Every structure is written in structure tokens, then in C-alpha cells.
Amino acid sequence: MRLIFQLLSIWAAILLPITNCFAPTLPAISRHSTSSTYYSPLRSSSKRPTRPIKFYCKLFGETMSKSNELLPEPFPPISIVGVCGSIGSGKSFACSLLTSKLNEKPSSSEITAHHIDTDSLAHGVYAPGSAAISEIGEEFGQDVIANGTVDRKALGAIVFGDGTKMAKLEKIVWPHVKDLILQRIQDIQESTQREGQNKCYNVVVVEAAVLLDANWSDMFDAVWLVRASSDTSCERLVEKRGMAKEDALNRLNAQLSRRGIGNWKEELEGGAVTAVIENEGRTTSDLWDNMKQCLEDPKCWKNDRCPPQIGELLEG
């Protein structure tokens, strides 16, 4: 009996914490909860609202205690901002401006910004060896697979102009892109730790036009929409991308069905979008002023997720 008891004790000590990460009956931890505390290099005492349990299990591995409470992570603090917007809105420039401005501040030794472009990451989904390739071949036929990768031209001929088929492709691709985003964030955290910058606060800016449609909102501490008028967006597409005006307008109209674009006011009022950044292209300083205001204003973040004392750092 003593041997059985010892074996059961070992099983409880080793396996239960692991299975807790996947147990479907865990007590819900609110995305906006303020029950857990953490150490922040930006102030001596602060509250750390928790992300969903699955987020931590995916990104950091086992971070749960036996009581299902979040344990202090061995990583520096981090804030993750999702940036969406239509084609021609200037969201790519806005993301680049935000990260460059944060990194050029005298306080950059305490706060570091990183830009993740999901369009670039998505190319990895079609690369040889990607798990998505077989799924795409099963759904759309092996004619779209060539030399172990996806023939994007052949695939495009099938899905473009067919909303149903495009939705099927997105259902396959988006989860893989999310995995790549999480992996990139983990790489940033681990790199910061290896370089001995444990007191550095990471701000990760994830540029993702479809983040609301893809249901990635739970990853982010804030969701900012960069928008511009259709005239301004069309003008940018014509001048900077060489599109014909008619083609540019067709592209803009086709995106109106996307969440956060055609219905941006509804998404803002509902809380899915936490801030709207107007980008009519007056001056770069105007855009930076708008983004800086979002960084400092807690209302532009999900509940209690505004980085502590970031205003002081920005003035540094």
C-alpha cells in the first residue's frame, strides 16, 4: 500500500500540473482580470491582468500552479498591440513609425519595440515542410501543390472571386499564421532573456489586417485600427503601388465586408477595437502624435493593460 501511495503522489506532483494546461473545466481567468501581480521594471508594484490560460500554455509552456493560478513567468513583461486596417490606410507605415519611435527614445534601454508583419509570416505557411500544405492540397486538389510547396498562382485562380472557397482557405491558413505569431513572440521573449535584458519592457506590434476576422483578439492587449478616407487610400494605391484607379477602388470596396473596416464604428463601440488612429497623411508628426496618445491613454487599451508609466518613458 505504501508503494501505491508513493506512486500516486508522484503522479499527482508531475502529471497534474501538465494536464491542468489542457483541462476543459478550469476556472475561467478573465482576459481583463487584475487578480495576479507581477514585477515590472517600470514601477515597483503593479498589477498584471492575465491572458487566457491557453495563451500562456502555448506561449510560455507550463505556467500554472496546482491551484490553477498563474505563476510568475521567467520572462520580461510584454505588451502586444494588434494593428489592423484596410489596404491603403497606411497601417504598415504606422507600425514602422511606432516601433522606430519607441526604439529611438533615450529610454529604449528600458522599453523595446518589435514589429511583426503577418503578411510576411504568412509566406511561411506556403513554404515546403509547412503542415498547411497537405491541408490545402486535400481541400483544393493536388494541382495547387508543386515541388512540395503551394502554387500560389494556381490557388489564387481558384479562390479569388469565390467567397466560399476563400473562406475555406482562410480557415486553413489563419490558425497556422497564429502559431507563427506566437512563436515569433516567444522568440522575442527568449532573446531578451538571453541578452540579459530582463528589465526591458517589450512592446510587440502585430500588423494584421484580418485579426478580427481571424479571431485573434485574445492575443492582444490593445487593438488599434488605422484608417483613412477612401479618397486618401485610393490615392496612395495609385501613387505608391501603381494601381489603376478603378482597380484600387475595387480592392477598397472588396474589403468593406471585413470586420473593423466597413463596420469600424460598430467594432469600436463593441470594444473589439480599442482605438482608431486617423491617418490622412498630413504629416508624420501628426500620425506619431495620434499613436503616442494611444500609447498613453488607458482607454485605448483593454482593461488595465496600458503599460505602466509608459508616458514617463516616452517623455524620457
Side-chain angles (χ1 to χ4, degrees):
M1 288 296 293
R2 179 176 297 179
L3 177 61
I4 294 174
F5 178 77
Q6 290 176 338
L7 291 173
L8 288 173
S9 298
I10 293 172
W11 177 84
I14 296 176
L15 295 182
L16 283 181
I18 297 174
T19 56
N20 280 342
C21 286
F22 307 100
T25 57
L26 285 179
I29 294 183
S30 170
R31 181 63 177 77
H32 312 310
S33 168
T34 58
S35 60
S36 301
T37 59
Y38 76 123
Y39 167 74
S40 168
L42 308 185
R43 61 181 180 183
S44 59
S45 176
S46 59
K47 290 187 176 182
R48 179 168 194 166
T50 58
R51 292 185 176 88
I53 289 175
K54 289 183 179 179
F55 181 95
Y56 277 99
C57 290
K58 176 68 178 177
L59 183 54
F60 300 118
E62 182 187 334
T63 59
M64 312 303 296
S65 68
K66 292 181 181 179
S67 60
N68 296 329
E69 295 178 352
L70 289 174
L71 297 174
E73 303 99 43
F75 296 99
I78 185 172
S79 289
I80 307 171
V81 180
V83 178
C84 57
S86 72
I87 185 173
S89 64
K91 62 182 177 296
S92 295
F93 179 75
C95 290
S96 297
L97 179 66
L98 175 58
T99 52
S100 64
K101 286 289 187 181
L102 288 177
N103 288 331
E104 73 182 17
K105 288 290 180 180
S107 59
S108 59
S109 61
E110 297 181 24
I111 183 170
T112 303
H114 311 264
H115 179 195
I116 299 176
D117 179 4
T118 56
D119 282 346
S120 297
L121 282 184
H123 290 302
V125 174
Y126 301 103
S130 169
I133 293 177
S134 60
E135 298 176 41
I136 292 172
E138 290 175 5
E139 180 64 44
F140 299 101
Q142 294 304 313
D143 290 342
V144 301
I145 308 299
N147 300 320
T149 188
V150 174
D151 183 337
R152 300 181 67 177
K153 185 176 181 180
L155 181 61
I158 295 174
V159 301
F160 289 139
D162 189 321
T164 300
K165 291 180 179 178
M166 177 62 80
K168 290 181 179 179
L169 176 63
E170 291 171 343
K171 188 176 181 180
I172 293 172
V173 171
W174 284 346
H176 292 282
V177 176
K178 184 176 182 178
D179 286 343
L180 293 174
I181 295 171
L182 290 172
Q183 182 60 56
R184 178 72 184 104
I185 295 171
Q186 183 176 354
D187 291 344
I188 290 170
Q189 292 283 66
E190 292 177 349
S191 175
T192 301
Q193 187 184 41
R194 283 195 305 271
E195 294 171 6
Q197 297 177 350
N198 287 41
K199 292 186 178 181
C200 181
Y201 197 104
N202 286 306
V203 176
V204 179
V205 181
V206 180
E207 179 187 347
V210 298
L211 70 86
L212 293 178
D213 286 301
N215 295 316
W216 294 342
S217 297
D218 63 336
M219 286 195 294
F220 304 115
D221 301 301
V223 175
W224 298 347
L225 169 68
V226 178
R227 70 176 304 274
S229 66
S230 59
D231 288 342
T232 299
S233 297
C234 181
E235 183 179 341
R236 287 173 180 159
L237 294 175
V238 171
E239 292 183 357
K240 297 182 180 180
R241 301 198 187 185
M243 289 187 182
K245 184 175 181 179
E246 183 178 356
D247 292 339
L249 289 173
N250 288 338
R251 289 285 297 275
L252 289 167
N253 290 332
Q255 291 193 340
L256 290 177
S257 61
R258 291 292 189 188
R259 289 185 59 193
I261 297 178
N263 69 336
W264 68 270
K265 291 182 179 179
E266 178 184 338
E267 299 291 358
L268 181 63
E269 292 173 358
V273 171
T274 58
V276 174
I277 299 171
E278 298 290 345
N279 183 25
E280 287 299 317
R282 297 182 183 90
T283 65
T284 299
S285 61
D286 286 340
L287 177 58
W288 169 236
D289 287 342
N290 291 340
M291 302 194 80
K292 183 179 177 183
Q293 182 179 351
C294 289
L295 282 169
E296 297 174 324
D297 188 351
K299 294 179 181 178
C300 294
W301 297 76
K302 294 182 181 179
N303 292 348
D304 302 305
R305 289 305 302 174
C306 183
Q309 294 188 0
I310 193 168
E312 295 179 14
L313 290 175
L314 292 175
E315 295 300 329

